[in-house]
Amino acid sequence: MTEFASCHSDAAGPLAAAGAPVVALVGSPNVGKSTLFNSLTGARRQVGNWPGTTVEVGRTQWRLPDGTETAIVDLPGAYSLDPQSPDEAFTRSIVLDEDPPDLIVVTVDASRLTRSLYLVSQIRERHTRVVVALTMSDIAARRDIEIDTTALAEQLGCPVVRVQPRHGIGDADLGRAVDIALREPPLPPRPVGVDSDDDLELADERFGWIQHAVEAATRTPAAEKHTWSDRIDRWATAPWIGPLIFLAVMWAVFQLTTSVAAPLQDALDQFFTGPVSTAAISVLGAVGLGDSWVQSFVVDGLIGGVGMLLTFVPLMAIMFVLLALLEDSGYMARAAVVTDRTMRMIGLPGRAFLPLIVGFGCNVPAISATRVLPDSRHRILTALLVPFTSCSARLAVYVMMAATFFPDDAGNVVFAMYVISILFVVVVGMALRRTLWRTMGSEPLLLDLPPYQLPHLRLLGIVAWGRLRGFLKTASGIIVATVAAVWLLQSVPVGGQGSFANVPVQDSAYATMARGISPIFAPAGFGNWEATGALAVGFVAKEAVISSWAQTYAVAEPMDLHSPGDLGEAVRADFAESSGGHTTAAVWAFLIFLLAYTPCVATLATQWREIGRKWTFFGVAMQFTVAWIVAVTVFQIGRMLT
């Protein structure tokens, strides 16, 4: 859990000016809290129209309309101050801390007012400043629900401000309300009038208070109005049609990703292998370093590594935009409903789907997102399964291999890898539940389905850029370091052949190390040192597999991963040789091993932090063993059938 000494310390991030008031932003999941945080501050907090998005604390500066500078803290979503998960416990600890925030802004969903006000009722029992931000008014209007904010404020005993953070409407009004409240003393606690030690009696009193406030401030239609969201959900969440729709949607996502990115990747790669490399060679030649190991390191190592990383950007950007579109539209919550039955098969609650789906973008935030699960056993099991979700770092390798060996069906092959990834999660999850967690029960899915919304371009851009920036921030240093390490190992001669930076790669320390482990993979059909060396590099970062091959074969990385060129020809020849002519079987075995084996070091570091050293080591051993057994099985069966 995120360390946070108190709201007024600087343990969780940069504060505003010394002594500036601290404003805490709280609310139930999926009421627009993090969207409001971004709208108020311009921060790039990840947001989405599905529950469980906020899993860590956001903290930044917020300048009020009159110029007052505050520190605003975006706390994890909580339905109440009676915690059911570590995130809710964390929010409770901040709200009830001895050094609490100076003011609490509670986001409330106008279309589900009764549900959202329970948290307000608990906070109003405290001696604190409170402002209610009323979101989703447009959704309420579609359902013919009218809310009188003045009457609601009178009933709640605190200011109520209507906002639409997706469009930036009401931000200034909220700022002015906060500014006024900060100048006033804290509100006195609302009178409860029941025994505070009797939880049931206290809960009944709160619901009565909420019901009275809702009746006084709202007007609802006599009969519940069925919206077009309800009509769509009859199909999107149906037991049989729903899963087919889900698969069709994901298939479309991967087809678009692999096809649209091609020309963009081509342009980027030509830029780095052409003008950038030529300019570097000219500059180094001018200073007397031409044809030296320095030129080899800069051009083949650093520029090649950075160029390789940036060719991933179109793939990642398109994938992140499409996933953000699904989230902002509200479809991801329906996907959680569709997959709930599968989740319960492996003993996990339906909302375990949320960190697992995040894993298809990146395993690192996905493992952090397991904090939304209340049961520690559920968190451990989910964290062990997340590495089997095919993160975006593997996508570039899939595309190149599919284009090399299956050029007419590349999109279908990539889609198949994601289906296989899901199968790994289900089968391994069932096996772990029936062995290590035999006594663990399953929980029903409790989830508010948000209404469908037209995606907002600004929010799509914020979410996609935030994820892409996170990918680049995580991968850039690892990629450059990995490429430099591979270059160094390939520059060190072994056995007296050549000299430093002037040695055939097959006589280098890199090849010697790779040959030492290659026999392990011979039964899987790719026991050549070139392939095993790439897998070893992939342990540091899966994105570096292609660059390590390019360095190994001493060819340029493909200008277009859909047309691998010389690199593809070299890889194809080695797979044909190592598999004894059973190339297709060996390629599928390699792809499946790449999908399932030990994740990158950044993922392992996150696992260590979230579930501890013992379970991290167990996960490494389990993933490698499962990947090897399945890869060998696929190759051995495949070669008998071909």
Side-chain angles (χ1 to χ4, degrees):
M1 185 178 296
T2 307
E3 293 295 332
F4 202 95
S6 78
C7 282
H8 292 82
S9 74
D10 57 2
L15 284 167
V22 176
V23 177
L25 189 59
V26 303
S28 304
N30 204 43
V31 297
K33 177 175 60 65
S34 291
T35 307
L36 179 61
F37 179 82
N38 279 343
S39 182
L40 293 174
T41 66
R44 293 301 181 254
R45 157 71 86 176
Q46 179 177 321
V47 297
N49 188 27
W50 50 301
T53 303
T54 304
V55 295
E56 292 185 348
V57 174
R59 184 181 177 95
T60 189
Q61 298 177 6
W62 177 28
R63 190 177 297 276
L64 301 180
D66 71 341
T68 300
E69 188 176 286
T70 70
I72 184 169
V73 183
D74 181 19
L75 296 178
Y79 290 100
S80 73
L81 297 181
D82 303 316
Q84 300 298 316
S85 71
D87 274 7
E88 290 187 338
F90 179 79
T91 296
R92 172 188 168 89
S93 70
I94 295 299
V95 172
L96 304 183
D97 190 78
E98 293 181 358
D99 186 19
D102 296 286
L103 183 144
I104 298 174
V105 174
V106 188
T107 51
V108 170
D109 183 352
S111 65
R112 296 181 174 89
L113 192 57
T114 300
R115 300 181 192 180
S116 299
L117 287 180
Y118 193 84
L119 182 60
V120 176
S121 72
Q122 292 181 299
I123 293 177
R124 282 291 290 112
E125 293 165 13
R126 307 288 300 175
H127 187 72
T128 186
R129 300 177 182 89
V130 181
V131 174
V132 169
L134 191 66
T135 66
M136 308 291 183
S137 293
D138 53 339
I139 306 300
R142 292 180 207 165
R143 298 176 178 173
D144 293 336
I145 300 173
E146 298 180 8
I147 299 178
D148 184 338
T149 55
T150 302
L152 184 60
E154 291 177 357
Q155 295 297 320
L156 301 182
C158 64
V160 176
V161 180
R162 197 185 305 269
V163 296
Q164 292 187 40
R166 286 166 56 85
H167 304 284
I169 298 174
D171 290 358
D173 294 337
L174 180 61
R176 283 189 286 270
V178 168
D179 182 51
I180 294 172
L182 285 172
R183 299 175 189 275
E184 300 291 334
L187 296 172
R190 73 175 185 88
V192 175
V194 298
D195 186 357
S196 60
D197 294 328
D198 189 328
D199 292 339
L200 184 57
E201 185 178 352
L202 184 57
D204 287 342
E205 189 279 337
R206 288 168 180 160
F207 283 120
W209 181 79
I210 292 169
Q211 186 63 29
H212 180 74
V214 171
E215 290 176 352
T218 65
R219 189 180 68 175
T220 59
E224 184 177 357
K225 182 178 179 180
H226 291 284
T227 64
W228 59 277
S229 284
D230 300 324
R231 291 190 287 272
I232 294 175
D233 282 341
R234 293 176 186 173
W235 299 94
T237 60
W240 296 105
I241 300 297
L244 295 178
I245 293 175
F246 173 70
L247 289 176
V249 168
M250 299 312 295
W251 177 85
V253 167
F254 299 126
Q255 285 286 355
L256 285 171
T257 300
T258 56
S259 59
V260 176
L264 302 175
Q265 291 176 293
D266 186 9
L268 278 174
D269 195 83
Q270 287 184 9
F271 175 69
F272 279 96
T273 58
V276 174
S277 295
T278 301
I281 292 172
S282 299
V283 170
L284 291 172
V287 297
L289 294 175
D291 296 324
S292 66
W293 69 266
V294 176
Q295 176 177 308
S296 174
F297 174 70
V298 171
V299 176
D300 300 330
L302 294 181
I303 293 179
V306 172
M308 178 272 300
L309 172 66
L310 293 182
T311 59
F312 295 158
V313 169
L315 281 169
M316 304 303 141
I318 293 170
M319 173 73 76
F320 292 151
V321 166
L322 292 174
L323 291 179
L325 187 151
L326 296 179
E327 294 166 7
D328 195 40
S329 68
Y331 179 73
M332 278 301 188
R334 278 73 184 177
V337 173
V338 168
T339 58
D340 178 54
R341 183 179 300 178
T342 301
M343 290 293 98
R344 284 189 280 127
M345 286 172 53
I346 58 180
L348 289 174
R351 60 177 174 170
F353 164 81
L354 302 174
L356 289 173
I357 200 66
V358 171
F360 285 99
C362 179
N363 289 173
V364 173
I367 292 174
S368 295
T370 59
R371 298 175 190 175
V372 302
L373 303 176
D375 191 311
S376 62
R377 295 173 299 174
H378 291 159
R379 293 196 297 273
I380 293 171
L381 178 55
T382 306
L384 292 175
L385 294 178
V386 162
F388 288 110
T389 60
S390 189
C391 69
S392 56
R394 299 174 173 98
L395 180 58
V397 186
Y398 295 160
V399 172
M400 196 211 94
M401 294 290 285
T404 299
F405 295 96
F406 314 102
D408 296 330
D409 296 294
N412 291 328
V413 169
V414 173
F415 175 67
M417 293 307 301
Y418 284 86
V419 173
I420 293 170
S421 175
I422 295 171
L423 292 176
F424 266 118
V425 171
V426 174
V427 173
V428 174
M430 292 175 65
L432 289 175
R433 189 199 175 183
R434 284 161 173 73
T435 53
L436 298 181
W437 285 284
R438 290 188 299 272
T439 61
M440 183 172 65
S442 59
E443 296 180 357
L445 176 64
L446 300 176
L447 186 67
D448 282 335
L449 288 181
Y452 289 104
Q453 302 181 84
L454 291 175
H456 193 281
L457 292 179
R458 183 177 65 90
L459 290 181
L460 291 183
I462 288 174
V463 173
W465 169 241
R467 292 175 177 172
L468 184 61
R469 183 178 60 181
F471 167 79
L472 293 172
K473 183 178 180 180
T474 301
S476 57
I478 295 175
I479 288 292
V480 173
T482 301
V483 170
V486 170
W487 176 87
L488 179 62
L489 289 172
Q490 291 181 347
S491 299
V492 175
V494 174
Q497 300 295 322
S499 58
F500 181 74
N502 186 24
V503 57
V505 67
Q506 63 269 21
D507 298 322
S508 66
Y510 176 85
T512 301
M513 294 172 60
R515 288 191 186 98
I517 61 175
S518 59
I520 298 174
F521 301 100
F526 50 91
N528 55 311
W529 66 267
E530 294 88 349
T532 55
L535 289 173
V537 172
F539 170 71
V540 179
K542 298 296 184 290
E543 308 94 324
V545 169
I546 297 175
S547 66
S548 69
W549 267 336
Q551 291 175 280
T552 295
Y553 294 113
V555 297
E557 291 183 39
M559 292 182 294
D560 178 0
L561 292 176
H562 297 78
S563 302
D566 293 340
L567 180 57
E569 291 297 329
V571 172
R572 186 183 295 112
D574 268 346
F575 269 87
E577 180 181 351
S578 64
S579 65
H582 302 286
T583 307
T584 300
V587 170
W588 276 109
F590 179 86
L591 286 172
I592 289 173
F593 186 87
L594 177 75
L595 162 64
Y597 86 116
T598 308
C600 67
V601 291
T603 300
L604 294 182
T606 308
Q607 279 187 321
W608 191 304
R609 182 187 68 190
E610 297 295 335
I611 62 176
R613 177 179 59 185
K614 180 185 71 173
W615 287 113
T616 300
F617 285 147
F618 170 80
V620 169
M622 175 196 67
Q623 290 144 17
F624 186 91
T625 302
V626 168
W628 186 87
I629 291 174
V630 176
V632 170
T633 301
V634 166
F635 176 71
Q636 295 300 330
I637 293 177
R639 75 186 185 94
M640 289 189 293
L641 298 177
T642 58

